């Protein structure tokens, strides 16, 4: 998959915190936007996500009514000074940077990081790149390291063509593509980075996408709240994949989403499953992280509904779904999880040397490995039966 890097002069501009005009580097949003559908609206966060449900529509059009947006923010956050400050700061950054005006980053990192996430979530990628440079200048180069790697080294797209609706646990994006990817978010409802940052790397060629978030915090064994139990959720996904009409299906999981990508990938007879460091066995995780809500919730669910943990090794010993599992060699928990699938002919296990962190996507981008991983797992040739 070809990755266009920023010209060196442009990188220098970003590092200097200079505003970049959108010219040849701009890839405009297509006139005909990809259609998106979802299950019933299900808020999976509290006030923060409630606000996004009200604020994101302001960014559907190029001509943002900033005065109306500002008034909406003040009304939504009348009783929450912190969230109000984040939202006002982020929208002010977007307004000034897109207008080519200078913008001074004069907030603490605890405000800047969620503001950056907001900028990415509303699809303003070129603004986010400039904002990242300002963060690195004001704080440290490590302050937004993962996001920086994803945006600075990924395809140089100005804006995303779909705004991730955080408050939904199920979204379908139809781009009329030959490949469909299903993204299973982790317990924090992200992909280690914002989904929009990850999806930049799947823009050439484009893919259809289905985003899942597990509001029940049960490794998706309980299904999605907006759809039903796991069987009903799998049936819904299968119907939507069929309606998309693509030739290739790949499930991708990050952190807790890895378990679901493997489990659902087998049930959906996916062509491949791509795993970015996460659990393959709930037993090992429950021993190490018994106090974590996800493990407590899934134990209660399995008892209430008389569910058994799927034996993923037995399942993948009996199918031909290709699996690529990546993890940091210094991460003890993730190294343990490789044992479940180790030695199977359809499973590739890849350890990232000199890396002891759980989240690896940004590091893979920094090392120049992410593009190749996606090319192999997502854009590989479809399996012939």
């Amino acid at each position: 998959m070809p990755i266009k890097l920023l010209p060196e002069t442009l990188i220098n501009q970003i590092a200097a915190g200079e505003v970049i005009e959108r010219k040849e580097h701009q890839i405009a949003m297509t006139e005909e936007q990809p259609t998106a559908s979802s299950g019933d609206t299900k808020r999976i966060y509290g006030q923060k996500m409630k606000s996004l449900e009200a604020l994101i529509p302001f960014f559907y059009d190029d001509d943002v009514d900033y005065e109306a947006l500002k008034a909406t923010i003040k009304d939504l956050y009348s009783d929450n000074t912190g969230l109000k400050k984040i939202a006002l700061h982020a929208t002010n950054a977007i307004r000034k940077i897109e207008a080519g005006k200078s913008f001074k980053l004069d907030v603490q990192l605890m405000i800047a990081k969620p503001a950056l996430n907001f900028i990415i979530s509303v699809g303003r990628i070129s603004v986010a790149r400039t904002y990242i440079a300002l963060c690195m200048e004001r704080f440290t180069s490590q302050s937004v390291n993962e996001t920086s790697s994803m945006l600075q080294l990924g395809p140089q797209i100005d804006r995303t063509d779909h705004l991730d609706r955080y408050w939904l646990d199920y979204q379908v994006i139809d781009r009329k593509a030959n490949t469909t990817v299903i993204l299973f978010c982790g317990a924090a409802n992200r992909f280690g980075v914002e989904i929009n940052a990850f999806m930049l790397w799947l823009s050439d060629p484009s893919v259809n996408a289905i985003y899942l978030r597990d509001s029940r915090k049960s490794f998706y064994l309980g299904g999605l709240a907006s759809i039903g139990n796991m069987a009903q959720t799998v049936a819904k996904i299968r119907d939507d994949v069929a309606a998309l009409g693509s030739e290739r299906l790949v499930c991708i999981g990050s952190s807790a989403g890895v378990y679901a990508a493997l489990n659902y990938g087998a049930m959906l007879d996916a062509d491949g499953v791509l795993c970015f460091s996460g659990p393959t066995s709930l037993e090992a995780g429950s021993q190490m992280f018994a106090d974590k809500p996800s493990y407590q919730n899934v134990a209660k669910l399995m008892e209430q509904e008389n569910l058994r943990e799927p034996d993923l090794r037995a399942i993948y010993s009996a199918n031909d779904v290709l699996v690529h599992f990546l993890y940091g060699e210094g991460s003890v928990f993730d190294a343990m999880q490789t044992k479940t699938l180790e030695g199977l002919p359809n499973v590739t296990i890849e350890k990232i040397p000199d890396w002891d962190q759980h989240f690896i996507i940004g590091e893979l981008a920094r090392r120049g490995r992410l593009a190749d991983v996606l090319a192999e797992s997502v854009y590989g040739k479809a399996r012939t039966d």
Side-chain angles (χ1 to χ4, degrees):
M1 180 177 63
I3 299 297
K4 298 194 299 181
L5 300 181
L6 284 167
E8 186 174 354
T9 54
L10 200 53
I11 292 176
N12 292 338
Q13 279 184 292
I14 292 176
E18 296 173 5
V19 175
I20 303 167
E21 293 183 4
R22 293 181 288 140
K23 293 181 180 177
E24 67 272 20
H25 308 291
Q26 176 175 354
I27 301 178
M29 295 173 70
T30 55
E31 291 183 9
E32 183 177 340
Q33 299 301 316
T35 57
S37 62
S38 66
D40 295 336
T41 298
K42 177 71 178 180
R43 293 197 184 102
I44 57 176
Y45 284 116
Q47 187 180 15
K48 181 180 176 183
M49 292 303 106
K50 179 180 178 181
S51 72
L52 283 178
E53 186 175 356
L55 301 182
I56 280 184
F58 280 94
F59 295 92
Y60 287 163
D61 299 319
D62 285 342
D63 189 15
V64 178
D65 187 342
Y66 282 102
E67 293 306 314
L69 174 57
K70 186 177 178 180
T72 301
I73 290 171
K74 290 181 176 180
D75 180 58
L76 277 172
Y77 294 139
S78 59
D79 59 349
N80 193 317
T81 304
L83 291 179
K84 179 166 65 176
K85 186 172 183 179
I86 291 168
L88 288 174
H89 172 77
T91 54
N92 188 40
I94 295 170
R95 184 177 193 174
K96 286 192 172 182
I97 293 172
E98 285 202 321
K101 297 178 180 179
S102 62
F103 177 76
K104 183 178 180 181
L105 185 61
D106 56 0
V107 296
Q108 296 176 320
L109 185 59
M110 63 182 295
I111 298 294
K113 290 186 79 169
L116 173 60
N117 291 340
F118 178 86
I119 292 168
I120 296 171
S121 72
V122 298
R124 271 29 184 202
I125 303 303
S126 65
V127 172
R129 291 191 185 101
T130 301
Y131 192 90
I132 285 171
L134 295 172
C135 285
M136 295 173 73
E137 181 181 291
R138 175 171 169 78
F139 307 112
T140 68
S141 61
Q142 301 300 313
S143 59
V144 288
N145 194 38
E146 287 224 337
T147 305
S148 174
S149 297
M150 297 299 291
L151 267 58
Q152 308 291 38
L153 301 177
Q156 295 309 294
I157 290 175
D158 176 55
R159 297 183 185 178
T160 57
D161 63 0
H162 175 74
L163 307 188
D164 178 24
R165 290 178 259 180
Y166 281 52
W167 60 93
L168 298 177
D169 62 357
Y170 188 74
Q171 299 176 74
V172 178
I173 301 95
D174 183 5
R175 294 190 172 94
K176 314 300 181 187
N178 290 327
T179 297
T180 294
V181 298
I182 304 177
L183 270 56
F184 294 84
C185 292
N189 295 304
R190 302 171 74 239
F191 228 66
V193 294
E194 299 302 314
I195 281 186
N196 279 351
F198 179 75
M199 287 301 295
L200 287 178
W201 293 73
L202 293 175
S203 59
D204 185 16
S206 64
V207 295
N208 305 320
I210 301 177
Y211 301 164
L212 278 73
R213 289 182 166 96
D214 183 14
S215 62
R216 290 173 169 163
K217 298 291 183 287
S218 64
F219 297 93
Y220 297 84
L221 287 172
L224 297 183
S226 67
I227 297 173
N229 62 27
M230 185 167 64
Q232 293 167 324
T233 300
V234 170
K236 169 65 173 170
I237 296 171
R238 187 176 286 117
D239 288 345
D240 285 339
V241 168
L244 290 169
S246 52
E247 299 174 358
R248 182 171 173 78
L249 176 65
V250 178
C251 294
I252 308 177
S254 172
S255 191
V258 163
Y259 187 85
L262 288 165
N263 190 24
Y264 281 59
M267 289 187 284
L268 293 166
D269 192 29
D271 293 281
V273 179
L274 178 56
C275 305
F276 292 110
S277 60
T280 61
S281 165
L282 298 183
E283 182 178 355
S286 61
Q287 292 173 359
M288 293 183 69
F289 305 112
D291 59 333
K292 297 287 185 181
S294 292
Y295 288 98
Q296 293 176 348
N297 291 345
V298 77
K300 186 181 300 183
L301 177 74
M302 294 176 80
E303 182 180 349
Q304 290 175 343
E305 300 189 15
N306 195 27
L307 297 176
R308 284 188 174 185
E309 177 183 350
D311 184 344
L312 292 178
R313 183 172 184 85
I315 290 170
Y316 278 87
S317 296
N319 70 28
D320 62 348
V321 177
L322 299 177
V323 176
H324 192 171
F325 186 101
L326 299 100
Y327 73 102
E329 71 168 345
S331 174
V332 175
F333 174 75
D334 293 318
M336 285 176 53
Q337 298 302 316
T338 65
K339 305 303 180 183
T340 303
L341 303 175
E342 195 173 58
L344 297 182
N346 51 329
V347 176
T348 299
I349 296 175
E350 179 179 346
K351 63 182 177 182
I352 311 305
D354 303 317
W355 189 250
D356 62 0
Q357 301 300 304
H358 176 58
F359 293 110
I360 62 170
I361 293 176
E363 181 64 12
L364 289 170
R366 189 182 69 80
R367 297 187 184 201
R369 178 69 180 125
L370 183 59
D372 290 337
V373 167
L374 294 175
E376 294 159 8
S377 296
V378 176
Y379 298 112
K381 292 182 179 180
R383 185 179 64 228
T384 56
D385 295 321

